[in-house]
Amino acid sequence: MTARAPVPLDGTVPEALADRVLLQVGYRRAARYRVRVDTSVSGLVLTGDGALTKAGQLREEGFDGALLVDEACYRVEAASDEAPFPSLDNGPLPLFGDPLEHLMLAHLAFADLALTPTGYLHAGAVGALEAAAARVTRLSDPRVVFAVPVDASWLHPGPVGYLAEVLNQVAGPKAVLVGGRPDARGGAAGLARLLEMVPGAGVLRTGLGAFGGLGRGAGFAAFGADASMRHIVPPAPAQVSSGGGPGSPAVLFPELMDFFLGLTLAKRFDGESPGCSCEECQGEPLDRFTSMAQQVPAAGHNASSLMVWARQMRAVEACGRAEWWQQQCRQAVDSSARWNARIQQLPGFTVSPDLSAWAELPVLQAAALHAD
């Protein structure tokens, strides 16, 4: 089956991003991933306070794929009624003009679209949400994406309806980022519910929800390249690092649709690792990423494997994507059981709550969503 670009859901889905699963990466690690990004189906979201400078460097170096800059202001401050964009509203004002417009134009010098620097929206921060939406509406620039970093409680049955109402009042593109500690099943169901009410919205800084969201009406999505890029943490006082860290990189085991430390995979496979056919591995075994010296090739493997999923999803008609994704997740759950029977180790390969959630989430509503 050959890949083809489906018709965008509506005018709020920017052409530069439509139907793409981008890779969301910390800006310092962009070089690890850029060479493995399939620019026909993906792109990069550079994240962190140095992301804008890095975007300029990538463009100078010839990167011509879809590119967004997420300065992650929501990690530092919460939005308020008076300061929905705290990095701007609590700082020095420009001599003239709207500070939001100034920043967005700076992003657009290198990025395909500009993400608003919205602060974190805690549970019940209705006034802050409304204030942010009003500012974006006044700006009225179709190149600006209203970024909405919400606490997971916004996806609960009551609040999600109001969130959708406010998002639908903003005529241009918008994207949701989910923070806090969502229950996996409730989070998947809430995201699907939101996308049913706001089709075409983007879903950024997530994991399996990037593909699950795209299957249920999202216009574009971003899969976090590492664990810190697959969720957002509410603002909190800076903490001193405890030091240390993993002794090997996180490696995507595509058949199980989950990440495991390289040392864990080597132990589980015990010399009988399957080969991987991704562009990075080209048949090499998955148990070779056993030290941090293999961080770069592990990143290449992870990115290459995600590109396979992105191409496969693009090849499925929009109306069938939710069911296709559910089937992939169910097959991965079944594969975990088969591998555990094969390796005979405890605890073996565990199924992540996110994988279980997307394997079990009903798909009928998503099919109805795309029926028109």
Side-chain angles (χ1 to χ4, degrees), residues 105-148:
L105 290 174
H107 280 219
L108 290 167
F110 309 114
D112 289 275
L113 292 105
L115 296 175
T116 61
T118 318
Y120 189 82
L121 290 158
H122 285 289
V126 173
L129 173 64
E130 293 175 342
R135 290 271 292 278
V136 176
T137 297
R138 284 200 302 271
L139 190 61
S140 189
D141 188 334
R143 301 170 299 171
V144 171
V145 179
F146 180 25
V148 188

Side-chain angles (χ1 to χ4, degrees), residues 220-304:
F220 57 97
F223 192 110
D226 58 53
S228 67
M229 293 292 114
R230 293 194 282 274
H231 68 288
I232 59 177
V233 178
Q239 297 180 348
V240 177
S241 173
S242 61
S248 59
V251 179
L252 178 60
F253 187 0
E255 187 178 346
L256 304 193
M257 297 176 67
D258 203 358
F259 291 84
F260 302 89
L261 292 179
L263 284 170
T264 299
L265 289 178
K267 179 180 178 181
R268 297 283 187 270
F269 293 138
D270 193 22
E272 297 184 4
S273 170
C276 177
S277 61
C278 79
E279 292 182 3
E280 176 72 31
C281 296
Q282 298 189 28
E284 291 294 312
L286 277 178
D287 62 356
R288 70 188 192 279
F289 305 108
T290 54
S291 78
M292 296 308 285
Q294 282 85 46
Q295 286 184 84
V296 173
H301 156 77
N302 294 342
S304 297

Side-chain angles (χ1 to χ4, degrees), residues 9 13 195-196 198-201 212-220 366 369-370:
L9 292 169
V13 182
L195 292 172
E196 182 180 356
V198 194
L214 205 65
R216 292 168 184 272
F220 57 97
L369 177 64
H370 292 288

Side-chain angles (χ1 to χ4, degrees), residues 85 87-105 135:
F85 307 119
S87 64
L88 296 178
D89 300 331
N90 295 332
L93 296 176
L95 294 177
F96 60 89
D98 182 349
L100 178 61
E101 182 178 14
H102 282 234
L103 179 63
M104 296 296 90
L105 290 174
R135 290 271 292 278

